[in-house]
Amino acid sequence: QVTLKESGPVLVKPTETLTLTCTVSGFSLSNARMGVSWIRQPPGKALEWLAHIFSNDEKSYSTSLKSRLTISKDTSKSQVVLTMTNMDPVDTATYYCARTTMYRGYSYGIYYFDYWGQGTLVTVSS
Amino acid sequence: QTVVTQEPSFSVSPGGTVTLTCGLSSGSVSTSYYPSWYQQTPGQAPRTLIYSTNTRSSGVPDRFSGSILGNKAALTITGAQADDESDYYCVLYMGSALFGGGTKLTVL
């Protein structure tokens, strides 16, 4: 049974750095074609992809937030960590981690989020 | 900057058919973007419906189908039911992932 669970602070102050941890079970972070993405959703707004990391340590970041984000993984702990610097009230959102399956073949490919955590609400306020 | 476009809202009658689309602010959507679709009800995490343009995720009923229509990805719901009333998001992959703005589907 695949599960993902987000953990981290519920409240951060403006300009602080947010550190979120996604703990996974039911699969290994060393599995080929499997990785973890971070996705957020401000209250009442759309989902926004932030970053992903795969078993071969391939990483990618949202173009608009790239300068503020760092994603890493600890395979032995089954954890993926996202840090976001210089937090602002507009970063208030529910942050989700999601298992991401990717396969890039010659004539066929896959990239999607097949399992999601329950999400964690992070509020940015002084 | 590339933007993924979706209809902000749509309504369908119970039992009816609706097609939601997913486009690009510039250019055409093709299977090379590996389009995927997600359903979200208020207060819940998204649920995966379709990946790789037209492959249904496990447990998704066959009244949900995906395709490329013209220059957009499309999600078609055939025989809409009351509990299909949700927000629907598409995702396109282009080295990084981009969500569309979502479509709020009303069934009435």
Side-chain angles (χ1 to χ4, degrees):
Chain A
Q1 179 188 359
V2 173
T3 64
L4 301 95
K5 186 170 178 61
E6 306 88 352
S7 58
V10 296
L11 180 66
V12 297
K13 290 181 168 53
T15 75
E16 287 186 341
T17 293
L18 171 68
T19 299
L20 293 172
T21 300
C22 177
T23 302
V24 310
S25 64
F27 72 101
S28 171
L29 295 175
S30 62
N31 282 7
R33 302 182 186 178
M34 288 181 185
V36 171
S37 291
W38 283 97
I39 295 152
R40 71 177 180 179
Q41 185 172 38
K45 295 190 176 181
L47 295 162
E48 178 183 21
W49 179 85
L50 301 177
H52 72 218
I53 188 167
F54 282 88
S55 58
N56 60 357
D57 216 37
E58 174 184 337
K59 303 169 189 175
S60 184
Y61 297 98
S62 161
T63 302
S64 59
L65 294 168
K66 186 172 185 174
S67 64
R68 299 174 53 205
L69 297 173
T70 302
I71 192 169
S72 62
K73 64 180 173 71
D74 185 330
T75 302
S76 65
K77 292 183 178 179
S78 296
Q79 291 180 333
V80 173
V81 175
L82 180 77
T83 62
M84 180 180 292
T85 60
N86 194 25
M87 292 293 284
D88 183 272
V90 301
D91 297 313
T92 294
T94 296
Y95 287 77
Y96 296 97
C97 60
R99 192 178 82 167
T100 306
T101 295
M102 179 167 69
Y103 170 73
R104 290 170 293 195
Y106 183 73
S107 58
Y108 176 74
I110 294 172
Y111 182 97
Y112 76 114
F113 315 119
D114 52 2
Y115 292 90
W116 296 70
Q118 64 191 17
T120 184
L121 176 62
V122 177
T123 301
V124 184
S125 175
S126 54
Chain B
Q1 182 160 342
T2 302
V3 174
V4 177
T5 61
Q6 295 185 248
E7 299 87 359
S9 63
F10 231 118
S11 64
V12 62
S13 300
T17 296
V18 63
T19 297
L20 313 181
T21 67
C22 174
L24 282 171
S25 54
S26 58
S28 299
V29 176
S30 69
T31 57
S32 300
Y33 289 99
Y34 313 150
S36 55
W37 292 88
Y38 305 85
Q39 177 191 49
Q40 187 183 36
T41 52
Q44 300 295 315
R47 169 198 181 197
T48 309
L49 295 176
I50 300 285
Y51 62 94
S52 207
T53 305
N54 56 14
T55 303
R56 272 185 297 277
S57 189
S58 177
V60 174
D62 60 7
R63 55 199 183 77
F64 290 91
S65 62
S67 63
I68 298 290
L69 284 181
N71 62 351
K72 297 182 180 182
L75 173 71
T76 299
I77 307 172
T78 305
Q81 300 179 0
D83 61 4
D84 294 335
E85 187 161 293
S86 303
D87 294 326
Y88 291 85
Y89 293 92
C90 68
V91 171
L92 302 179
Y93 175 72
M94 44 194 82
S96 56
L98 269 180
F99 276 90
T103 297
K104 188 175 193 63
L105 180 67
T106 302
V107 181
L108 51 74

